Amino acid sequence: MDAAAVFSLEGRTAVVSGCNTGLGRAMAVALAEAGADIVGLNRSEAAGLGEEIARCGRSFLDLRADLAHGAPAELVEQAAALTGRVDILVNNAGIIRRRSALEFSETDWDDVVDLNLRAVFQLSQAAARRFMSQGGGGKIINVASMLSFQGGLRVASYTASKSGVLGLTRALANEWAPLGINVNAIAPGYMSTNNTAELRADADRNDAILGRIPAGRWGRPEDLSGAVVFLASRAADYVHGHTLAVDGGWLAR
Ligand code: NAD
């Protein structure tokens, strides 16, 4: 086996939602480093990312997309304008709202579930249709969470949505594996991004979380690079419906 070839994404085009910051940005760069051209679906401009991807010798198209209330199928067709195809979809865009369940509002429920779960299904369906029409299969990588496995505190809609992402990953894999489409997920542990700023700012929560991470530190966005390249590559051709934790050992405790 030629390991470099099996992990190479040369000639592939990857669509990454929410890659202007945080985990999505690091995954977009990792995919470009492995050889993929990148299309971002971003609410606001991904400043400087085009230059970073160009340094890898790859192209970048930054499409404006607010996925809050649905992800129109045309987005995937617009993404295909960069190279004429779409081979990989990373469903990364996601939000969290922290409130006790007794005080949780309908808006905090709907906003989170619409983006974290509904838009994931819609983009996946559009990508799978595209994979079918162009031929050659494809890869879908969803971003799950520790709260796909655990209940969490004060995050009812987030836990529901990310547990849903794990189930959806399995459900779509069952239907699409026979079509040559791999659907898998990455479950990041506690990573240092905007998403966890509130937790890290709370000294007690910060210490409690750090104290149970076997690796002894918060994750960094770059910690997801290997997992996303693996799941997007031929090396994962026989991996279907799996949610891969990249969590510094959190779930092992
Ligand atoms: P982040 O807040 O830095 O990034 C979230 C991304 O989603 C941004 O690019 C943002 O622009 C995008 N986004 C938000 N609302 C959008 C909308 N309406 N339309 C389009 N894009 C929108 O946080 P992050 O930690 O990088 O989060 C990325 C993903 O990782 C999310 O799905 C999050 O739930 C998940 N995650 C994060 C952690 C963590 O510890 N940071 C852990 C597990 C899972």
Side-chain angles (χ1 to χ4, degrees), residues 4-28:
V6 104
F7 288 105
S8 170
L9 302 180
E10 199 89 30
R12 315 275 168 83
T13 300
V15 176
V16 184
S17 69
C19 64
N20 54 353
T21 179
L23 305 183
R25 188 175 181 114
M27 289 193 283

Side-chain angles (χ1 to χ4, degrees), residues 17-24 27 41-44 65-69 91-96 115-116 143-146 158 162 186-196 218 224:
S17 69
C19 64
N20 54 353
T21 179
L23 305 183
M27 289 193 283
L41 306 182
N42 284 312
R43 241 181 345 175
S44 55
D66 185 343
L67 305 172
H69 303 293
N91 277 309
N92 166 76
I95 52 170
I96 192 162
L115 178 66
N116 293 13
V143 176
S145 164
M146 294 298 94
Y158 187 80
K162 293 297 185 178
I186 295 172
Y190 284 81
M191 318 293 286
S192 186
T193 68
N194 300 332
N195 176 290
T196 53
W218 285 78
L224 300 187

Side-chain angles (χ1 to χ4, degrees), residues 18-253:
C19 64
N20 54 353
T21 179
L23 305 183
R25 188 175 181 114
M27 289 193 283
V29 170
L31 293 169
E33 284 170 348
D37 296 305
I38 308 294
V39 181
L41 306 182
N42 284 312
R43 241 181 345 175
S44 55
E45 194 197 339
L49 183 57
E51 290 78 353
E52 221 174 314
I53 287 172
R55 283 196 288 278
C56 306
R58 312 315 324 175
S59 324
F60 177 57
L61 172 66
D62 193 9
L63 293 178
R64 265 315 64 71
D66 185 343
L67 305 172
H69 303 293
E74 302 83 68
L75 274 176
V76 170
E77 292 312 308
Q78 286 169 30
L82 180 64
T83 61
R85 31 186 318 119
V86 171
D87 305 285
I88 299 156
L89 168 68
V90 181
N91 277 309
N92 166 76
I95 52 170
I96 192 162
R97 299 277 164 78
R98 300 179 194 276
R99 307 264 182 284
S100 78
L102 286 175
E103 285 151 17
F104 225 82
S105 71
E106 208 169 322
T107 308
D108 285 337
W109 181 272
D110 288 345
D111 288 355
V112 171
V113 174
D114 282 355
L115 178 66
N116 293 13
L117 191 55
R118 187 165 178 264
V120 169
F121 175 68
Q122 290 175 319
L123 282 176
S124 299
Q125 187 183 49
R129 287 176 174 159
R130 173 82 206 177
F131 298 157
M132 294 307 291
S133 69
Q134 70 190 14
K139 309 277 185 189
I140 297 176
I141 301 158
N142 296 324
V143 176
S145 164
M146 294 298 94
L147 302 184
S148 302
F149 304 95
Q150 301 177 305
L153 283 172
R154 303 179 69 247
V155 285
S157 59
Y158 187 80
T159 300
S161 69
K162 293 297 185 178
S163 298
V165 165
L166 185 147
L168 181 65
T169 299
R170 289 176 172 153
L172 297 182
N174 290 338
E175 288 197 44
W176 295 346
L179 309 177
I181 299 171
N182 298 77
V183 187
N184 291 292
I186 295 172
Y190 284 81
M191 318 293 286
S192 186
T193 68
N194 300 332
N195 176 290
T196 53
E198 209 177 309
L199 287 182
R200 284 176 291 114
D202 176 335
D204 292 341
R205 289 299 305 278
N206 183 61
D207 291 351
I209 287 167
L210 260 186
R212 73 150 281 179
I213 300 176
R217 65 168 174 84
W218 285 78
R220 295 186 274 267
E222 296 71 29
D223 286 320
L224 300 187
S225 302
V228 75
V229 169
F230 165 61
L231 290 175
S233 74
R234 282 200 292 119
D237 275 355
Y238 200 58
V239 180
H240 290 282
H242 185 65
T243 296
L244 175 59
V246 181
D247 65 351
W250 176 274
L251 289 178
R253 284 290 290 266

